[in-house]
Amino acid sequence: MAQPGENKLVGKILNATDVLARQCLELYDVTPESVTEETDVGQVCICCIYCDHVHGRERSPSADACPSSIADIPVCAHRIFQQHFGQCRHFPPNLKEKVETLKNTMDDTRNKANPKVVEKYYKESSLAQGLISRHGRVYFGKDPSDVETLFAVDILMRMGIRN
C-alpha cells in the first residue's frame, strides 16, 4: 500500500504507525479461487505482505481485511496493525519489535498527525492506485498497471500541503 517517500511524512502528515502499516500491507483482488460468502470476485482486500502466501489455518488471525469503502481502508490497516502484526509468525523479528514499541508508546507522532489529513492522504493514495467504492465494497476502477504511481510529494501537492 505504501507510496514512495512516505517515510519522509512521519510527523508531517502520517504517524509512524501508519507508515509501518502501509509498508507491511498490500492490496489484492479476490479471485474466483479465493472468494468467500463475505467477498465478491474482484473485490479489493488488504493483506499482510509477510503471510499473503499462507492459506487456511496456518495463517495468523486478522491477516487480511476487506474494506467496505475507501474511507474504511485506514480503519482496516490499523486493525491489522493492532491485531495481526504482533502475532504473525512470518513477520520479521525486528519489525515485530518496532510494532510493539509503537503500540506501547501509542506513537508519539500520532498527536502531531491531524486525523482528517491522514484520512485525506489515505483517500488520495487509494484513488491514485485506481480504487473505487461501489455497493459497500472496494474495487480497482482501472487496471492498476495503467495508473502511473503518484509519489507522496505529488499527493501532498494535490492536497494543497507543501513540504
Side-chain angles (χ1 to χ4, degrees):
M1 286 179 50
Q3 299 292 308
E6 283 185 352
N7 55 348
K8 296 177 185 174
L9 303 178
V10 172
K12 295 179 184 176
I13 302 302
L14 299 174
N15 55 58
T17 301
D18 285 306
V19 172
L20 181 61
R22 291 173 62 84
Q23 290 171 346
C24 297
L25 295 171
E26 65 185 355
L27 301 171
Y28 70 93
D29 52 344
V30 176
T31 63
E33 298 80 32
S34 63
V35 71
T36 67
E37 289 181 17
E38 294 86 27
T39 60
D40 291 332
V41 173
Q43 179 180 354
V44 171
C45 297
I46 304 168
C47 182
C48 169
I49 63 172
Y50 297 105
C51 64
D52 65 343
H53 64 285
V54 180
H55 301 284
R57 293 183 185 163
E58 293 180 29
R59 182 180 268 188
S60 298
S62 307
D64 57 3
C66 300
S68 59
S69 67
I70 288 176
D72 194 33
I73 291 174
V75 175
C76 291
H78 287 210
R79 187 178 323 123
I80 294 170
F81 179 90
Q82 290 291 332
Q83 297 175 2
H84 172 72
F85 287 169
Q87 60 184 334
C88 177
R89 291 184 291 273
H90 306 282
F91 212 75
N94 63 320
L95 289 181
K96 209 175 255 195
E97 287 176 22
K98 190 172 183 178
V99 166
E100 290 308 312
T101 299
L102 289 172
K103 281 183 181 180
N104 291 334
T105 62
M106 292 305 291
D107 188 4
D108 293 335
T109 61
R110 180 172 298 282
N111 296 330
K112 297 178 186 175
N114 181 328
K116 293 289 183 191
V117 174
V118 171
E119 183 179 307
K120 189 171 182 179
Y121 181 85
Y122 268 89
K123 180 180 179 182
E124 291 290 332
S125 175
S126 298
L127 294 174
Q129 294 178 67
L131 298 180
I132 59 169
S133 294
R134 185 175 43 188
H135 309 296
R137 307 245 193 275
V138 175
Y139 299 92
F140 282 112
K142 20 182 164 170
D143 182 348
S145 64
D146 293 338
V147 178
E148 182 174 326
T149 302
L150 293 177
F151 293 90
V153 174
D154 295 328
I155 294 171
L156 290 174
M157 289 177 67
R158 289 175 56 196
M159 291 171 55
I161 300 169
R162 306 252 182 245
N163 280 346

